[in-house]
Amino acid sequence: MEKINIWIDCDPGIDDAVALAMAAASRDRLHILGISTVAGNQTSDRVTGNALKLASFLGMDDVPVVRGARGPLVREVEPAGDIHGATGLGNCELPATTKQTASESGIFYMYSRIMELPEEEKVTLVPTGPLTNIALLLRTFPQVQARIEKIVLMGGSSSGGNVTPAAEFNIWADPEAAQMVFAAGLPTVMCGLDVTLKSGLNNGQIEELCRSRRKVEQACGQMLAFYLDTTRHEGEENMVAIHDAVTILYLTNPELFSGRNVSVSVDCSWGEERGRTICTADGQEQKVYLLDQVNLPEFQWVLLAKLRSLS
Ligand code: RIB
Ligand code: CA
């Protein structure tokens, strides 16, 4: 089966770390062109350091990691230290790495690698943080749009937020970037809170990971135990939503999910509606496939099997 070319843009971040683990476990299906970082869950320095350590820890030393935007297009960085901890990975100490960024000018590097693909090939962009880099890429190099198959993003919600009652964090952090990305009209799969709050692991499954002798399972268990504690206000009792992992599992196991076609606009005000994603199924061309259902037992089985395969 043909591999899917992907580029991951992330702000690790605990659930970003699990998404990277899913990708690392799926290289028979995914050709990972590169990983770029964006300030979001933590500062650019911290998320970039985390991405380098995670790439090495997960056996992806061959995958280039580049530093993207140091902050949103217009607004200030407001790291979510209360959710992902001071380091961005909870209280998990990953081994140090000698891996360096392949570029400190992420979007130029992203553009070059995408344009180097064979003429008949395209890339699927997988953003799991604020959409700053994606917006900059599309605006700086409009010609790259012809090489993008689709965007599978974690962000938004058709019914209320997590960082505020109105908005999901990735969109709230950089609403202008999100508006630019949705307005570009590229085929987009929106893995928003509608589906991600139903997609995670329960306490017992996390405790089992923590007891594992396998290093990747143990590290993810430790991060998720921290995340379960700091996100109790979100979603379902006794389950930690692993938001970003939905993007990768949608690519490897699309049968786990279902949704509906919508068009999406973003509230870019500065008040309490900031970052709300307005999702409508009216007559306009609906370029966004919004996921809202998941087969949870199957999602959990696939996620745990992929973690098991890495250690
Ligand atoms: O709202 C969840 C999203 O915000 C996830 O991507 C998480 O990592 C944070 O960035
Ligand atoms: Ca993220």
Side-chain angles (χ1 to χ4, degrees), residues 234-257:
E234 289 186 1
E236 321 215 352
E237 187 60 27
N238 181 34
M239 185 174 89
V240 66
I242 312 177
H243 305 280
D244 295 337
V246 173
T247 60
I248 301 297
L249 293 190
Y250 174 78
L251 287 170
T252 60
N253 299 78
E255 73 283 356
L256 297 180
F257 307 96

Side-chain angles (χ1 to χ4, degrees), residues 10-17 40-42 80 83-84 127-130 154-156 162-163 167-171 193 196 227 234 241-244:
C10 57
D11 60 337
I14 290 171
D15 54 331
D16 303 76
N41 283 326
Q42 264 302 342
I83 303 291
H84 295 263
T128 64
M154 192 281 139
N162 55 359
V163 66
E168 178 280 322
F169 177 81
N170 288 337
I171 308 300
L193 297 180
T196 66
Y227 205 33
E234 289 186 1
I242 312 177
H243 305 280
D244 295 337

Side-chain angles (χ1 to χ4, degrees), residues 8 12 43 45 70 73 81 112 129 134 142 156 174 211 247 249 277:
I8 301 173
T43 62
D45 283 350
R70 277 68 167 175
L73 297 181
S112 309
I134 309 304
D174 196 342
R211 289 193 295 268
T247 60
L249 293 190
T277 41

Side-chain angles (χ1 to χ4, degrees), residues 5-311:
N5 295 320
I6 68 167
W7 184 282
I8 301 173
D9 186 70
C10 57
D11 60 337
I14 290 171
D15 54 331
D16 303 76
V18 179
L20 289 172
M22 296 296 101
S26 308
R27 299 185 74 177
D28 57 326
R29 303 283 312 286
L30 305 174
H31 174 205
I32 309 169
L33 289 184
I35 298 167
S36 48
T37 64
V38 60
N41 283 326
Q42 264 302 342
T43 62
S44 174
D45 283 350
R46 288 190 178 139
V47 299
T48 304
N50 290 340
L52 290 165
K53 284 183 182 175
L54 284 161
S56 292
F57 184 65
L58 297 168
M60 296 196 286
D61 265 323
D62 59 315
V63 177
V65 173
V66 297
R67 187 197 293 260
R70 277 68 167 175
L73 297 181
V74 173
R75 305 180 195 232
E76 293 305 314
V77 187
E78 297 192 48
D82 55 327
I83 303 291
H84 295 263
T87 67
L89 296 180
N91 50 18
C92 178
E93 286 290 330
L94 290 179
T97 181
T98 55
K99 186 174 176 69
Q100 302 287 313
T101 55
S103 167
E104 288 285 294
S105 307
I107 63 159
F108 292 94
Y109 190 94
M110 282 170 80
Y111 171 68
S112 309
R113 290 300 302 267
I114 293 168
M115 299 308 280
E116 282 165 6
L117 283 171
E119 206 172 284
E120 70 283 1
E121 292 189 24
K122 292 191 175 185
V123 66
T124 293
L125 300 180
V126 184
T128 64
L131 291 165
T132 318
N133 291 333
I134 309 304
L136 288 169
L137 177 76
L138 298 180
R139 269 296 167 85
T140 310
F141 308 107
Q143 65 274 37
V144 79
Q145 298 197 27
R147 309 302 302 275
I148 296 171
E149 182 75 35
K150 62 175 172 287
I151 301 172
V152 181
L153 64 87
M154 192 281 139
S157 162
S158 72
S159 54
N162 55 359
V163 66
T164 68
E168 178 280 322
F169 177 81
N170 288 337
I171 308 300
W172 176 88
D174 196 342
E176 286 77 18
Q179 177 57 33
M180 287 165 66
V181 171
F182 284 116
L186 290 163
T188 300
V189 177
M190 179 172 150
C191 309
L193 297 180
D194 305 75
V195 70
T196 66
L197 285 177
K198 306 173 191 171
S199 307
L201 295 180
N202 62 45
N203 206 359
Q205 290 166 322
I206 294 170
E207 285 173 0
E208 197 170 332
L209 288 175
C210 290
R211 289 193 295 268
S212 173
R213 292 181 185 284
R214 294 180 166 92
K215 63 171 186 157
V216 172
E217 288 183 329
Q218 203 279 332
C220 287
Q222 191 179 3
M223 284 187 267
L224 289 172
F226 185 96
Y227 205 33
L228 178 66
D229 199 34
T230 59
T231 58
R232 283 197 187 286
H233 60 290
E234 289 186 1
E236 321 215 352
E237 187 60 27
N238 181 34
M239 185 174 89
V240 66
I242 312 177
H243 305 280
D244 295 337
V246 173
T247 60
I248 301 297
L249 293 190
Y250 174 78
L251 287 170
T252 60
N253 299 78
E255 73 283 356
L256 297 180
F257 307 96
S258 63
R260 63 188 193 272
N261 290 315
V262 295
S263 54
V264 178
S265 62
V266 180
D267 187 307
C268 293
S269 66
W270 290 77
E272 55 192 29
E273 284 299 294
R274 162 185 172 175
R276 183 185 292 275
T277 41
I278 301 100
C279 306
T280 51
D282 60 16
Q284 290 175 45
E285 208 185 353
Q286 294 129 26
K287 282 276 190 179
V288 179
Y289 184 55
L290 183 151
L291 301 186
D292 53 19
Q293 296 302 326
V294 59
N295 179 333
L296 180 60
E298 280 298 305
F299 171 89
Q300 294 177 330
W301 190 91
V302 171
L303 189 148
L304 291 169
K306 285 183 181 293
L307 286 184
R308 174 66 49 96
S309 73
L310 280 173
S311 300

